Amino acid sequence: VCKAIESCISQKGVDPSEYEILAINDGSKDNTLEYIQRYKEIPNLRIIDKPNGGLSQTRNLGVVEAKGEYVLFLDGDDWLDECALILLKEHVHGFDIIAFPMVLYYCKEESRVILQELKEGVYTRDEMLRCTLGKGEFSIIPAPAKAYRRSFLLDNNIWFLEGILHEDN
């Protein structure tokens, strides 16, 4: 959890006033809330503590509570590269969804795997849907590897499905 929050706080090239961090504790039974509380003095961080409702419900709450134009999702074991937000800021250009590479690190094997190689480009809704539903290049891009225009999600009533497995996809 700390690494996820630290990676958000230490973004280079963007002022903290340009983005907000929502740290949502989803009824964890461990010390997650205590860890999050360590950052309560960070001006652009807002802590939300709620009963356990699952990952999808928590992400949906984040969309509702967010104030920014775009939303990104990080789980407690995820983190952002220190230049992630400045790169996104330079490339969003009003798109509804921006997908970007995600790298997986496996501590036990000490290996690094790029989850999905992306070809840079602009895709229509139908192209993205075709690629996502089939075995195309976007078939496995989890939620934390995308930035979403918040109004696009709200205006189109797009929500993470609650009570399912593999809600990242």
Side-chain angles (χ1 to χ4, degrees), residues 15-53:
D15 190 271
S17 66
E18 295 182 86
Y19 67 100
E20 68 177 333
I21 304 163
L22 296 180
I24 303 174
N25 180 49
D26 182 37
S28 66
K29 303 266 189 249
D30 57 14
N31 296 328
T32 298
L33 186 58
E34 285 180 32
Y35 289 120
I36 294 172
Q37 292 289 356
R38 295 178 187 175
Y39 300 96
K40 66 183 177 191
E41 302 303 320
I42 302 295
N44 63 331
L45 182 134
R46 191 160 34 118
I47 298 170
I48 299 172
D49 186 32
K50 67 178 215 51
N52 181 267

Side-chain angles (χ1 to χ4, degrees), residues 46-91:
R46 191 160 34 118
I47 298 170
I48 299 172
D49 186 32
K50 67 178 215 51
N52 181 267
L55 183 58
S56 293
Q57 184 187 78
T58 301
R59 286 187 177 151
N60 291 337
L61 176 63
V63 171
V64 170
E65 291 289 326
K67 293 179 175 66
E69 183 178 359
Y70 287 89
V71 293
L72 294 167
F73 300 101
L74 290 182
D75 297 334
D77 60 349
D78 296 334
W79 65 90
L80 293 174
D81 181 84
E82 63 188 7
C83 296
L85 295 184
I86 190 64
L87 288 170
L88 281 171
K89 182 179 172 182
E90 292 171 358
H91 292 93

Side-chain angles (χ1 to χ4, degrees), residues 95-97 122-133 138 152 156 158:
F95 295 117
D96 292 326
I97 300 173
V122 176
Y123 297 83
T124 67
R125 177 188 59 209
D126 291 342
E127 289 169 335
M128 186 66 125
L129 191 57
R130 246 190 322 276
C131 291
T132 303
L133 291 178
F138 294 111
F152 172 74
N156 291 286
I158 299 172

Side-chain angles (χ1 to χ4, degrees), residues 107-123:
C107 296
K108 291 180 183 174
E109 296 93 22
E110 295 183 19
S111 63
R112 178 178 177 267
V113 177
I114 296 176
L115 183 61
Q116 192 68 39
E117 289 288 343
L118 300 177
K119 293 179 185 168
E120 188 171 334
V122 176
Y123 297 83

